[in-house]
Amino acid sequence: MKILHPWLADYIDGPLPDPESTARSLTFAGLEVESIDWFGRSTGGIVVARVETVGPHPNAAKLSVCEVFDGDSHRKVVCGAPNVRAGMCAPFAGPGTRLVNGMEVGEREFRGVVSSGMLLSAAEIGLWDDASGLLDLGGERKPGTPLRDLPGFSGAVLDVSATPNRPDALSHIGVAREVTALTGTRLRMPETDLEENAKQTTEVAKVRIEDPERCGRYVARVIEGVSIGPSPAWLRARLAAAGIRPIYNVVDVTNYVLLEMGHPLHAFDLDLLDSATIIVRRANPDETLVTLDDVERRLDREDLVIADASSPVALAGVMGGQTSEVSPKTERILLESAWFEPIGIRRSARRHGLHSESSHRFERGADPAIPLLAADRAASLISRLAGGVVLGGALDVHPRPVTPQNVTLRFDRTCDVLGLRIEPEDQERALVGLGFRVVDRAPDRLLLEVPSFRTEMSREIDLIEEVARLHGYDAIPSTLPGRSPESSRPDEAGREEEVVSRVREAASAAGCREVVNYSFLSESDVSMGLDMKTLPEARPLRLSNPLTTEHSVMRTTMLASLLGNLRYNRRFQRSDLKLYEVGRVYLAGQGDLIEEPNRLAAVFSGRRAPLSWTQEGAVVDFYDVKGLVETILRRLGVNLAECQFEIDENGLPWLHPRSACRVVGPSGERLGWLGEVHPGVAAHFELAPGVMAVELEVDALTTISHLVPSYKTIPRFPAVYRDLAVVVGEDVNAEQIRRLIEAPLPEAEHIGARVVDATLFDMYTGPQVGEGKRSLAYAIRYQATDRTLTDTETSRMHLAIVARLENELGAALRV
Amino acid sequence: MAAGDPIAEVDSVRVRFLGKKGEVSRLLKQMGKLPPDERPKVGQAANTVRDAIETAVRQALDNARDEALRRELAGPPIDVTLPGRPLDVGPRHPVSRTWDEVVDVFRKMGFEAASGPEIEGDFYNFEALNIPPEHPARDMQDTFYLNSGRPAPAMTTEGGEGPDPGDVLLRTHTSPVQVRAMLRQAPPVRIICPGKVYRRDSDPTHTPMFHQIEGLWVDRNVTMADLKGTLQLFAKAFFGTKAQVRFRPSYFQFTEPSAEVDVSCSICGGSGTAAGASARSTVEPESCKTCSGTGWLEILGAGMVDPAVFEAVNYDPEIWSGFAFGMGIDRVAMLKYQIDDLRMLFENDARFLEQFP
């Protein structure tokens, strides 16, 4: 809310610190001043001038020629404003003055008459948007006075951001109260004395509350014989500086009191209220109301309305209706000052998408004790500024009287919470300064009555916070907490984090850039262009209020996110790219469970290695992602030989059927899958075929991981290597050969030796081995623990392996 | 012996005279034809010859090796300006990197990492945190809801079935992890909860998903001074030993008293003026872009756990007290790497990712 620094001075008995200091102390007491602006900056060079005479323009009917006194000289000025009249004072810019729109005022000829300067409207000065005529400053101003020296025409504007627990700070008086509590000065309330007419309000109007739960109080005052017109310049200037557009005096006053006291008011044209009756009731489902913003609202039972004898005339606490709006013809005003229950207001405002100054305050909790005072203040201002008489006695229907709340404050408790000693008298002073009243006292505690404008202060901790913020958080020292001997609990996340960290290092080493994606996707991307029914994972969970269709369902696959990243980067000519992400997917699991497994996924596309003179430009293939998976498993201490890469013919529809498999752990754990992305899926993401991908379950990886390896003795004797090349049919897979080579060998065991491993170092298909065959070449490592194997021993084992391959796989030794 | 491979030529000489079928061998084989008394003399002579040849060959071989090495070293240098073979190590994302760094600091201070569901129930995300339905504080956190007919994850506590989770939503902060932790275990509690959170907001300074990290410390006699000290220590560990923290009163529904915590700007050192602004030789120093000239960065929200929260998880607020704090990981990453558009973090443009090697 915009708070005018000079306006605050009206309510403070004592010195008011300068705007910067005020802003700083408010901010550090919890009312954050987001910015300081300066109202009236645009009025430089503009002075008050008195219009001495007004005469017709010889050549233009709509213009007049005036004689104007600017305090220094008499000037002839051409003016087109309809409201110009002799004796008025108005803002004047002499030749050479630069206006807010950048135009420089000069001696200028208007249809044969030279004008020596310009009389100005509010809009031309940049104060508010009224360009309908001159800004009438009244008749009592001293010509030549700089405009900014007039009351209300200049000053600092503090943009105060009040947190939702501070409805009391949504007014100048509220902020002034805070300043007085901080500076040790006293709050001065405005004049609300009224001169009341003998004629009583009850004679002309009736008020009835049908829903006392939603409307705790309704005060009505009637002012008769008002003349609607513009407010005085100072009032309009204040409203404009606070960001509210001045309209008519009566409406301006209700807004003025809103800004002053924080209490929303509404003025009805009494003569437009059927039977001069106010009924506060729920709306009927078939009723409508055209609100002041010119929108027809369909009402329902949840809406509280202000109605006359026949129909709703206002959406209670939110906005008035057009049918009873104050207009230039209005003579009698019914002024509403009520208290509405916050939740109901909030619901109505939200349902109608209407956020007004009024609803903003009611939904945060208005002061239930202030309605009469606010009504009197407004009535007194209206009768002063718009004429008219205030009828005797306010109609004050008060079905739910407020009982003040008492709260106990233990002085020691404050110190225990803050870790700072604050003397009891300082604690008391802070709270009394904020409007709390001491009801009872003991040496170690106070019983305090909570002021009506702070109804949310219902607990001791609320009072402690008040003391703390007024005392200043700066005073709180820095200490470190002690720790009870009881331990908290084991760091459950530690193990998984270590797994993720090793996985990340492997992906990094493979050249994958890490990405972080939104958890939601578009419906079309999450299905990757596939028929949803073919996807083993259930339908995605849907947001009921997505921001865009691009982000409307929770992802069930990491792959779709990463393919989306490739699509994005391809637009910037980046097709050679490897990416990985660690994150969750969101699944509708067994029964009605929602599951959020953590996954690692990577995609490889384009060149295997960055473009370089040192490398051929080979592109990625299945074995690149498989290599990443193997590296990850190895880094997690998993024995690769115990894992399976299994073909799953129908289970992986997003992958190329010829180049896809599942990864299965030593005890059958489903670790994930890898393979080439199906060309159709790639096309859905505007990608060329040949994208490789992998997705692994972090949970399962964590389960099978052995993060702390145990050392095995390194043999003191060298191993012996022998190469072996075999030709096998293409239906024989590499795993079958590896298993046979590495399987226990009786010939080896009885001499205390074994095959340590076999490394495939070459694979060949082609004319040299014949149709339907391929050759695989292995480097086999033989090892005995207690000596170096002899040639003969090694050969014997080697031949045994050859025989086994020949017998079991029909392999032929390649020579 | 000049042309060709000098070592090979020497070797051919060696073979010619000293090889198995060489001249010396041939000579020695003919020794049998000599009368016995001449044999020693001739043998001796042959040995002398062989020794001489061997010495000469060894000498020549040494020379040839020297010559070869000299030639090898004497050639023109290779082009050392050619780029090396690339080792393409993929970079970490700035958010996940910052996440790890922040967690690490708090781990060392005695916190333990905890996590929880992102698809949450209204109870854990709002009600248990003292944010009842219709409370204006919910405006500060515009929420995504799910309507799948499936309930949010329930939990079991020591007392049996946990509270009804209520409406299903995407958590708007990581605070529900704290609630679940407190429902699950008796105090003391010392946890740090990093994770993804969601709010219905999208503009240059807001993304519908972002990352938050929250800490909770519950024990006996925990004070606001302890909170200040803890965050001061964090600031120094993360932003450097000169970092200062400043507390401003604020409002969060689940803490009271509450504070906004500012850390002195790590870029300008708290001076508020841009470093090296002299390049444009303006009279007034340019203000620091990172902190907009204030010298402070708004980074954390914090406060003492509200007694209402303790009551919701059945802790006695007269015995236990605690503090909680939270910060945006993305914001900290942006400050650290001087990234000016939050949305860049989730576009995953390779040209962005590769700036954080």
Side-chain angles (χ1 to χ4, degrees), chain B residues 269-347:
Chain B
S271 68
T273 52
S278 56
R280 274 179 229 156
S281 76
T282 41
V283 182
E284 258 192 52
E286 266 181 73
S287 64
C288 172
K289 275 192 194 126
T290 309
C291 63
S292 320
T294 61
W296 294 94
L297 304 171
E298 290 178 33
I299 288 187
L300 290 129
M304 302 304 292
V305 179
D306 194 293
V309 174
F310 280 152
E311 277 154 26
V313 299
N314 305 314
Y315 286 10
D316 183 348
E318 288 291 314
I319 298 173
W320 302 102
S321 57
F323 61 72
F325 57 84
M327 76 185 111
I329 298 174
D330 319 71
R331 173 157 166 76
V332 172
M334 285 175 76
L335 290 170
K336 179 161 181 171
Y337 300 109
Q338 301 182 56
I339 300 164
D340 57 8
D341 185 345
L342 182 59
R343 290 172 298 192
M344 279 312 298
L345 294 178
F346 307 117
E347 262 169 12

Side-chain angles (χ1 to χ4, degrees), chain A residues 707-786:
Chain A
L707 296 180
V708 185
S710 36
Y711 164 77
K712 290 178 197 68
T713 313
I714 297 168
R716 288 175 50 222
F717 301 91
V720 176
Y721 286 89
R722 283 285 169 88
D723 288 355
L724 169 70
V726 287
V727 177
V728 291
E730 272 177 346
D731 56 331
V732 174
N733 68 35
E735 181 65 7
Q736 290 172 286
I737 300 175
R738 188 191 62 79
R739 278 172 190 258
L740 284 180
I741 296 176
E742 291 182 1
L745 207 60
E747 289 83 350
E749 270 161 28
H750 82 263
I751 57 167
R754 66 190 181 100
V755 172
V756 180
D757 55 23
T759 307
L760 178 68
F761 67 88
D762 188 41
M763 197 184 74
Y764 172 79
T765 50
Q768 290 182 35
V769 293
E771 185 88 356
K773 306 239 175 215
R774 59 177 177 166
S775 148
L776 295 103
Y778 293 86
I780 305 177
R781 182 154 57 130
Y782 297 95
Q783 172 87 59
T785 45
D786 57 345

Side-chain angles (χ1 to χ4, degrees), chain A residues 116-128:
Chain A
S116 170
M118 246 179 112
L119 288 164
L120 300 161
S121 70
E124 283 163 325
I125 316 170
L127 293 176
W128 60 89

Side-chain angles (χ1 to χ4, degrees), chain A residues 412-659:
Chain A
D412 282 349
R413 184 76 178 165
T414 307
C415 308
D416 289 347
V417 169
L418 302 180
L420 167 72
R421 175 93 207 137
I422 301 179
E423 296 306 321
E425 50 275 25
D426 290 335
Q427 297 192 32
E428 179 175 341
R429 184 158 358 113
L431 291 167
V432 168
L434 289 169
F436 290 82
R437 196 173 65 82
V438 177
V439 179
D440 197 5
R441 63 175 72 240
D444 64 337
R445 64 188 64 200
L446 289 177
L447 185 64
L448 293 139
E449 183 189 294
V450 176
S452 59
F453 45 85
R454 298 299 298 277
T455 45
E456 78 289 356
M457 303 270 103
S458 56
R459 305 168 304 162
E460 184 179 39
I461 193 71
D462 300 323
L463 305 191
I464 292 174
E465 180 174 57
E466 295 300 290
V467 171
R469 64 180 190 82
L470 275 211
H471 197 78
Y473 284 4
D474 273 351
I476 298 173
S478 284
T479 56
L480 285 176
R483 296 172 63 165
S484 292
E486 300 103 306
S487 70
S488 183
R489 65 207 172 100
D491 198 337
E492 55 176 30
R495 183 176 162 88
E496 180 171 318
E497 259 173 53
E498 175 62 22
V499 166
V500 168
S501 147
R502 291 190 192 187
V503 163
R504 279 206 170 102
E505 283 166 16
S508 241
C512 298
R513 282 98 180 98
E514 188 186 19
V515 298
V516 175
N517 279 296
Y518 288 127
S519 308
F520 14 66
L521 288 169
S522 70
E523 191 126 7
S524 132
D525 276 0
V526 85
S527 66
M528 301 188 283
L530 297 164
D531 180 356
M532 293 299 285
K533 285 194 280 295
T534 69
L535 293 182
E537 271 147 359
R539 295 174 61 78
L541 298 162
R542 207 168 300 276
L543 294 179
S544 23
N545 56 342
L547 270 177
T548 66
T549 54
E550 292 304 297
H551 294 158
S552 58
V553 298
M554 300 305 288
R555 68 177 175 188
T556 55
T557 160
M558 306 283 288
L559 177 63
S561 296
L562 290 169
L563 292 176
N565 298 146
L566 290 180
R567 172 176 59 198
Y568 179 91
N569 280 287
R570 203 188 67 103
R571 292 178 194 147
F572 302 98
Q573 290 79 46
R574 280 299 299 268
S575 300
D576 299 334
L577 199 57
K578 297 177 197 156
L579 302 173
Y580 83 96
E581 180 174 13
V582 177
R584 296 185 188 182
V585 296
Y586 308 84
L587 306 175
Q590 297 291 313
D592 59 4
L593 285 185
I594 292 175
E595 289 164 4
E596 300 179 17
N598 204 14
R599 288 190 183 165
L600 157 88
V603 290
F604 290 36
S605 135
R607 276 172 211 282
R608 174 169 302 143
L611 184 62
S612 163
W613 66 279
T614 60
Q615 335 242 347
E616 42 168 339
V619 296
V620 295
D621 64 23
F622 178 88
Y623 300 102
D624 287 296
V625 271
K626 184 167 179 196
L628 173 60
V629 172
E630 289 169 334
T631 305
I632 287 171
L633 291 173
R634 218 175 279 126
R635 295 215 65 207
L636 296 179
V638 177
N639 184 357
L640 264 182
E642 294 175 6
C643 297
Q644 314 277 330
F645 292 85
E646 278 177 3
I647 288 179
D648 180 349
E649 277 186 18
N650 298 312
L652 304 165
W654 53 89
L655 294 180
H656 194 302
R658 295 184 52 210
S659 175

Side-chain angles (χ1 to χ4, degrees), chain A residues 1-16:
Chain A
M1 174 187 182
K2 288 183 171 171
I3 296 291
L4 277 54
H5 183 259
W7 194 349
L8 287 178
D10 290 7
Y11 314 112
I12 295 174
D13 236 352
L16 170 66

Side-chain angles (χ1 to χ4, degrees), chain B residues 218-264:
Chain B
V218 181
D219 210 323
R220 295 184 183 83
N221 307 318
V222 179
T223 68
M224 196 148 174
D226 294 336
L227 168 62
K228 218 171 171 180
T230 301
L231 295 181
Q232 176 79 63
L233 201 61
F234 163 74
K236 286 186 190 298
F238 190 82
F239 292 104
T241 49
K242 287 186 184 146
Q244 293 297 317
V245 300
R246 179 174 86 171
F247 274 44
R248 281 181 290 122
S250 188
Y251 168 76
F252 306 106
Q253 193 68 9
F254 37 93
T255 53
E256 190 157 0
S258 302
E260 294 274 1
V261 184
D262 303 334
V263 175
S264 54

